[in-house]
Amino acid sequence: MEKDLRTRLTDWLKNYGLLVAVMLAVTLVVFGMLRWFGAYVQPNPQRENEVWIPYDEGTYNYDLSDADFSGSTVMRLDLSLLYYPAQLLDPGTIDSVAPTQREPGNTNEEYATQRYVMQMPPGNQVYKIYFYHVRYATRAYINGAFAGQSGQPADNVDDVIIGRAPLVVYGTPDENGRMDVILQSASFLHWEDPAFLGELWVSRGDLIYELPIGEVGSGYLIVGALLGFVALLLGMFIAFPRQPANLYFALACFMMAVRAGVEGDAMTRCLPFMTPNMVYFLFHISVPLLTLLFTLYLDRVFPGMVPRWSIWFVGIVTAAFVVTCLLTEPVFFTSLRRWYQIITEAGMVLFAVRLVIKLRQPTPEQAVSLFGIILFFLAVAYDIARYLNWFGLLSFPADMTNAFMLVFVLTQMVALFLGNSRAMVQAREAERRVAAEKEAVERVNELKMAFLANVSHEMKTPLAVMSGYAQDGQKALQSAEEYAEVERSMRLISSEADRLALMVGQVLDVSKIDEGRMAFNMRPQAMVALAQNALNTYAPLLVKNRNSIVFEPAEELPEVVCDGDRIAQVLINLLANAAGHTLDGTITLRLEAAGEGVRITVADTGEGIPPEALPHLFERYRSGGKKARGGMETGTGLGLYICHYIVEAHGGEIAVESEVGKGTVVAFTLPARSEP
């Protein structure tokens, strides 16, 4: 077992080690680009010159009297454990209320008040005070005077208006060098941390810096890169519509762009119509939607690795969560999201274990995708460890997570490119095989038709001889009663020979149609005489099932130019079909004028044709339904196909109407002076 594992690991490194090294190098390059771009677009001197100021134990007092505010120094005040829960206090009321000692961690109050009392250096310096927050409503007072607000704090969810940007105010110390800052905050959004209790940054008033949630500069880069991936993936999906993994990952990238935009505050800055509630809603539904899209994507990249029931489970749970977000207050659905994340993370671990156990010989695109998934797990683990400050990771840059995520997307893009390339090669190979098979089938059909034509041609002469001798013998035996049985047998031989001759003729006709060799001897014809001759010739066969024949020609009919033998063939075929499917009924042959042409109708009172068979009657080797009881029907499925070809070659049309149990009507038209 150990040797097998070592062998598999060696083979994997041999095949994909270089790729892994390249991807790791790309990760470092992307991380460096994010750091450089963020610093270039949004220079933040406080990141390099930040001084941490603790509060006096048991108070909210901060001593900055000896602080050096020269240059780009920014003082960061630690968060005091004293605050005023469930109260929005102003300078006139705050001294009458005693503060509450809170436990370290988050507050569960929807609204609260904080206080910062700072002893500043001597002088009348104007100071800039920056409150590190987003998606809260805040209001600040400095030394008893209103200083500014972002949004509108309130003690109820209906009156709260969430701010769009961090709160920045300016003030000067009083004559004693004291700055008393009161901060009201309210949110009613999150179950765990609804009211803002945050730290405070102080600098010279003319110092330019920002402290948004996430780096705005790198946020723009990430959102732009993800949207670029979306466009590229949609193009790949249009080019390969049978590869839905492209579409699933394009939608996933779009949701990641939305999440990066709302989390880093880039979207609210660029899209003024986005209200804070809309941003908050998008932020919280992005995780479930991403989970569903990734599940669908992984099911395509790793076929058989994602159980079918889990896809339905994720889809149902995601839909339920989105509906809950739409119908309930944020405090409720944010409490549900943690459970969704726990289930999702457990599912991710199970999927990873399943991959390790079952994925024995991954394709190149699966290997690349798997490497990206490992990076994704590392990004999640790094983010959690940094958030919980394991091993002092809080001081590490948050951009590392973004770098991991971008490289994860890049690896999946490479995997999709490889998969699409392989699919293209397979499609071309399949097309080549289909073309070769089609060519072979066409060649076989040609040989088959040539064989049938030759055999049919050779069979016509002996069949004619057999039929002639059978008819002569039948006439000679009719006068002798003792040979009645022999005469009946000879009649059957003659009938079957005629039927076989018709079958041979049909095969020959189809061969001529396929080869374009069916010729027409066009000359003026009187349709009444032509129809009467057909009836006279085959009347004995048409009444075989005790049917009666009715001939209804119109008094005046235009002359048509046609091949009389071919039109007679059409009439005989239609009459024979009618006779074969009618018992003790009536067969009507009707001729009537139709515009400048003639309409010929063959109607019967027979068993009819099933509705599902009607659209296919004129197809080759298709029949109308039940087997005929008698008549001349050949059973080859070629008769109506040949009739359809002959009628259309004369410039006419043929149609069938039928009702099961009531009969069938077949009608075709011939133009007055038609040409083939």
Side-chain angles (χ1 to χ4, degrees):
M1 179 67 181
E2 182 180 352
K3 184 177 180 181
D4 181 61
L5 182 61
R6 189 185 306 115
T7 302
R8 287 176 57 193
L9 182 60
T10 303
D11 292 341
W12 192 89
L13 289 174
K14 185 185 301 180
N15 294 328
Y16 306 109
L18 179 61
L19 179 64
V20 171
V22 170
M23 288 299 178
L24 287 174
V26 170
T27 304
L28 295 175
V29 170
V30 171
F31 171 68
M33 289 177 59
L34 289 175
R35 296 295 293 171
W36 173 83
F37 190 83
Y40 178 79
V41 174
Q42 180 198 345
N44 252 341
Q46 62 83 23
R47 294 299 190 190
E48 301 175 358
N49 301 287
E50 185 178 87
V51 178
W52 192 290
I53 305 298
Y55 60 90
D56 291 341
E57 192 67 31
T59 71
Y60 34 68
N61 298 320
Y62 300 83
D63 186 6
L64 282 76
S65 58
D66 296 328
D68 182 10
F69 283 94
S70 63
S72 59
T73 302
V74 177
M75 303 298 171
R76 179 178 180 179
L77 277 60
D78 194 8
L79 181 60
S80 171
L81 294 179
L82 295 179
Y83 79 119
Y84 303 84
Q87 299 178 85
L88 297 178
L89 302 174
D90 55 32
T93 58
I94 195 167
D95 289 330
S96 61
V97 179
T100 298
Q101 180 83 13
R102 68 178 179 85
E103 297 295 328
N106 295 324
T107 174
N108 290 322
E109 305 295 336
E110 285 84 2
Y111 54 98
T113 303
Q114 290 176 263
R115 195 171 193 178
Y116 305 84
V117 179
M118 298 173 283
Q119 188 64 41
M120 308 301 292
N124 295 322
Q125 174 71 46
V126 176
Y127 293 96
K128 176 181 180 179
I129 300 175
Y130 199 116
F131 296 98
Y132 184 18
H133 81 95
V134 72
R135 289 188 288 275
Y136 293 92
T138 53
R139 181 185 295 122
Y141 299 88
I142 298 179
N143 290 338
F146 172 75
Q149 68 181 40
S150 177
Q152 177 178 298
D155 58 3
N156 62 86
V157 67
D158 296 327
D159 294 334
V160 167
I161 300 176
I162 303 301
R164 292 183 58 88
L167 177 60
V168 180
V169 295
Y170 297 85
T172 57
D174 60 14
E175 62 276 6
N176 299 318
R178 185 171 177 269
M179 289 186 69
D180 188 353
V181 179
I182 298 173
L183 177 67
Q184 300 175 352
S185 65
S187 175
F188 293 91
L189 290 180
H190 200 282
W191 73 278
E192 187 181 23
D193 188 19
F196 169 73
L197 292 182
E199 298 161 349
L200 175 150
W201 279 259
V202 184
S203 69
R204 295 193 338 266
D206 59 347
L207 187 62
I208 299 175
Y209 67 95
E210 290 188 356
L211 293 169
I213 299 291
E215 300 290 342
V216 173
S218 59
Y220 289 145
L221 177 62
I222 293 169
V223 173
L226 289 172
L227 292 179
F229 291 147
V230 171
L232 184 59
L233 287 164
L234 288 178
M236 292 167 58
F237 175 69
I238 293 172
F240 303 95
R242 294 186 179 180
Q243 300 291 325
N246 296 318
L247 178 61
Y248 295 147
F249 202 69
L251 296 175
C253 286
F254 178 76
M255 289 309 305
M256 283 191 284
V258 170
R259 181 174 176 82
V262 298
E263 186 176 24
D265 205 23
M267 185 172 290
T268 55
R269 292 167 181 259
C270 297
L271 304 175
F273 64 87
M274 294 288 292
T275 65
N277 285 341
M278 292 171 61
V279 170
Y280 203 69
F281 173 75
L282 288 174
F283 179 77
H284 283 281
I285 68 169
S286 62
V287 170
L289 291 177
L290 273 173
T291 303
L292 176 60
L293 291 169
F294 278 143
T295 303
L296 296 172
Y297 165 73
L298 293 173
D299 179 55
R300 291 291 178 172
V301 177
F302 300 94
M305 294 295 171
V306 181
R308 200 62 18 194
W309 64 265
S310 65
I311 298 176
W312 283 101
F313 176 77
V314 172
I316 292 171
V317 173
T318 299
F321 184 82
V322 172
V323 171
T324 302
C325 291
L326 287 170
L327 300 180
T328 62
E329 295 295 332
V331 173
F332 177 74
F333 68 69
T334 53
S335 67
L336 295 181
R337 206 190 87 174
R338 56 174 176 161
W339 298 109
Y340 185 93
Q341 288 178 308
I342 291 173
I343 296 173
T344 300
E345 290 163 3
M348 289 168 58
V349 172
L350 291 176
F351 175 73
V353 172
R354 187 180 178 92
L355 277 182
V356 171
I357 294 175
K358 290 196 170 187
L359 194 63
R360 297 293 181 179
Q361 293 181 335
T363 62
E365 62 267 25
Q366 288 177 336
V368 174
S369 179
L370 186 59
F371 175 73
I373 292 171
I374 294 172
L375 281 181
F376 178 79
F377 279 119
L378 290 176
V380 172
Y382 173 82
D383 208 35
I384 293 173
R386 184 179 180 278
Y387 178 76
L388 298 177
N389 198 25
W390 292 349
F391 315 113
L393 289 177
L394 189 60
S395 59
F396 278 64
D399 280 346
M400 182 62 78
T401 302
N402 295 330
F404 276 137
M405 293 302 298
L406 277 184
V407 175
F408 164 71
V409 174
L410 285 173
T411 57
Q412 305 314 303
M413 291 283 292
V414 173
L416 288 172
F417 272 119
L418 292 174
N420 291 333
S421 299
R422 190 163 61 89
M424 183 183 297
V425 172
Q426 291 175 347
R428 288 177 177 172
E429 180 63 22
E431 288 177 359
R432 189 193 62 78
R433 287 198 304 268
V434 169
E437 291 171 359
K438 182 180 179 182
E439 184 179 353
V441 169
E442 289 177 351
R443 178 59 180 162
V444 170
N445 282 334
E446 290 176 2
L447 294 174
K448 179 187 69 175
M449 295 307 300
F451 172 77
L452 291 175
N454 291 333
V455 171
S456 301
H457 183 74
E458 295 299 326
M459 289 176 65
K460 287 191 71 175
T461 300
L463 283 172
V465 173
M466 289 170 55
S467 178
Y469 278 116
Q471 292 176 16
D472 290 343
Q474 180 184 353
K475 291 178 182 178
L477 294 171
Q478 283 179 349
S479 59
E481 294 183 1
E482 63 272 19
Y483 296 114
E485 184 63 28
V486 178
E487 187 271 336
R488 190 182 71 83
S489 299
M490 296 296 288
R491 188 171 66 251
L492 289 175
I493 292 173
S494 177
S495 175
E496 291 303 310
D498 289 341
R499 193 168 75 88
L500 190 56
L502 181 59
M503 293 173 62
V504 171
Q506 288 179 344
V507 173
L508 283 172
D509 286 340
V510 171
S511 177
K512 292 176 181 178
I513 290 172
D514 289 342
E515 297 174 5
R517 295 189 296 105
M518 181 174 279
F520 296 92
N521 182 19
M522 309 299 292
R523 54 193 176 85
Q525 297 282 349
M527 284 303 302
V528 175
L530 193 151
Q532 188 66 62
N533 288 337
L535 285 174
N536 293 340
T537 302
Y538 292 96
L541 293 173
L542 298 178
V543 297
K544 188 174 181 180
N545 290 331
R546 302 186 301 277
N547 296 314
S548 59
I549 307 298
V550 177
F551 183 39
E552 298 179 351
E555 293 183 0
E556 295 184 5
L557 290 174
E559 195 176 57
V560 297
V561 175
C562 65
D563 186 327
D565 293 337
R566 291 298 182 185
I567 297 302
Q569 181 182 351
V570 174
L571 283 172
I572 293 166
N573 208 309
L574 298 181
L575 290 168
N577 284 345
H581 292 277
T582 305
L583 180 64
D584 296 322
T586 301
I587 299 172
T588 302
L589 175 59
R590 184 179 301 110
L591 305 179
E592 55 191 337
E596 296 183 356
V598 177
R599 178 184 177 87
I600 301 97
T601 304
V602 177
D604 64 62
T605 57
E607 58 195 10
I609 302 172
E612 62 273 12
L614 286 175
H616 309 287
L617 285 180
F618 298 117
E619 297 176 6
R620 189 186 301 189
Y621 307 120
R622 296 298 293 265
S623 60
K626 299 179 181 178
K627 187 177 180 181
R629 298 186 178 94
M632 294 179 60
E633 188 180 68
T634 64
T636 61
L638 298 173
L640 289 176
Y641 169 75
I642 296 171
C643 291
H644 183 266
Y645 178 82
I646 292 173
V647 170
E648 288 198 340
H650 280 77
E653 296 179 352
I654 186 169
V656 180
E657 296 179 1
S658 184
E659 186 174 349
V660 176
K662 294 187 177 181
T664 302
V665 177
V666 184
F668 66 94
T669 59
L670 293 174
R673 306 290 292 182
S674 62
E675 296 292 340

